[in-house]
Amino acid sequence: IVTKGGLPAIGRNHGVRIAKGDFIFFLDADVRVPVDFIENAYNEIEERFIDIATCEFLPLSDDPIDRLLHDFVNSALKVYQFIDPHAPGCCIFTSKRLFNRINGFDETLKLAEDHDFVKRASAFRPLRILESTHIEISTRRLDKEGRLRLANKYIRVELYRLFRGEIKDDVIPYEFANFEQPRDTPWLIANLQETKEMIQRLNQRINLMVRHYGNTQVMTNEFKESLRDLNDQLKQMKTKLMLMFRL
């Protein structure tokens, strides 16, 4: 069934109104999923009693820069599920009961309606990162806007939301007319492998910690200390990435 669209929040809300299932999967048109995506995601959601989730997303690109950026974001999602839950609009799973409880997406928002939705939903049920599946996402926006410009824009969005609240006006345009393609430098390429190895080590720690503590609702002092440590590492890598991309 095809329903009326519009801005993402409006289109998603319209879709849910005609959906008949107990769980809603929000995906974008430019993502690709494994053949067993629905089965694996649903089984894990049921097994872990999850009401809202996302999963890792991989770039449909062989560019090492794209791989590095997505690895970093996936690492951040894993850590921040316990601190400040985020999920990209291209991949959100939610139970219909939780969706209805918070009245769906806020249709007054012009940008970051996905982060607002997850923030409000997480006040009732914790966001979790699924381990059984993933999505692959097109890098068309990265190619169009440039890695530098797009990363800079996302940082501006988060800073605006942090200090001024949700975005209800066109204060941060989501597309520009002309884009300069980023130019890689030898210095950037030389730093990619080192940063990739840092992210791999961080992911190993995150996975061990989540497997050990992830299903408990009580955060022990040891768990909280591990989160603070991982968050500090993420901040250091973010600083390094910003220097690498001259942000």
Side-chain angles (χ1 to χ4, degrees):
I1 301 175
V2 177
T3 186
K4 182 179 179 181
L7 289 174
I10 296 173
R12 291 171 185 149
N13 286 343
H14 284 165
V16 173
R17 291 189 187 105
I18 62 174
K20 301 183 183 301
D22 294 329
F23 290 94
I24 309 298
F25 291 6
F26 295 102
L27 300 171
D28 281 355
D30 58 354
V31 304
R32 189 166 67 187
V33 301
V35 293
D36 54 1
F37 176 79
I38 295 294
E39 178 182 2
N40 287 345
Y42 177 77
N43 288 340
E44 184 175 353
I45 286 171
E46 287 282 83
E47 181 180 345
R48 295 175 61 190
F49 302 101
I50 294 173
D51 275 271
I52 182 166
T54 187
C55 65
E56 290 191 356
F57 55 108
L58 310 177
L60 287 168
S61 165
D62 294 325
D63 190 324
I65 296 176
D66 294 340
R67 295 280 178 177
L68 177 68
L69 291 175
H70 284 73
D71 284 346
F72 176 77
V73 172
N74 285 326
S75 299
L77 289 175
K78 289 179 182 179
V79 173
Y80 282 96
Q81 66 182 305
F82 303 106
I83 304 172
D84 182 17
H86 279 62
C90 62
C91 184
I92 296 177
F93 315 93
T94 181
S95 64
K96 199 168 186 179
R97 64 185 176 185
L98 180 59
F99 182 93
N100 291 333
R101 186 173 189 178
I102 65 170
N103 296 317
F105 289 89
D106 186 343
E107 297 183 6
T108 67
L109 301 186
K110 293 294 184 71
L111 201 56
E113 78 294 327
D114 46 0
H115 298 325
D116 169 73
F117 174 84
V118 170
K119 178 181 178 180
R120 290 184 290 112
S122 296
F124 297 98
R125 294 286 292 151
L127 173 81
R128 291 295 176 254
I129 312 300
L130 300 183
E131 300 174 357
S132 61
T133 194
H134 67 276
I135 66 168
E136 295 177 317
I137 185 167
S138 169
T139 59
R140 63 177 180 81
R141 188 173 292 279
L142 293 173
D143 295 333
K144 180 180 180 182
E145 300 197 27
R147 277 75 180 161
L148 293 175
R149 290 177 182 267
L150 193 59
N152 194 10
K153 185 185 300 185
Y154 287 150
I155 292 171
R156 289 171 57 204
V157 167
E158 288 304 306
L159 289 175
Y160 188 98
R161 295 180 66 239
L162 178 64
F163 293 108
R164 304 192 64 179
E166 301 300 338
I167 302 174
K168 298 190 176 185
D169 300 305
D170 295 321
V171 291
I172 303 176
Y174 196 53
E175 290 191 4
F176 300 102
N178 297 300
F179 306 98
E180 296 177 3
Q181 292 298 321
R183 291 177 294 178
D184 299 334
T185 66
W187 182 84
L188 171 61
I189 298 301
N191 278 268
L192 283 177
Q193 184 60 35
E194 178 187 351
T195 310
K196 180 180 179 180
E197 291 172 358
M198 291 172 60
I199 290 176
Q200 288 174 339
R201 291 194 295 270
L202 176 65
N203 271 326
Q204 290 174 355
R205 288 195 59 196
I206 294 170
N207 291 335
L208 286 172
M209 188 182 73
V210 170
R211 277 197 294 270
H212 190 62
Y213 296 105
N215 291 325
T216 180
Q217 296 297 316
V218 180
M219 288 192 181
T220 65
N221 289 334
E222 182 182 352
F223 184 46
K224 291 179 181 178
E225 182 63 30
S226 295
L227 279 178
R228 284 193 289 268
D229 187 24
L230 292 172
N231 191 32
D232 288 341
Q233 290 188 45
L234 276 173
K235 288 180 180 178
Q236 292 174 19
M237 280 191 287
K238 181 178 179 180
T239 300
K240 183 178 179 64
L241 286 169
M242 290 175 71
L243 288 172
M244 288 170 63
F245 288 93
R246 302 294 198 272
L247 294 178

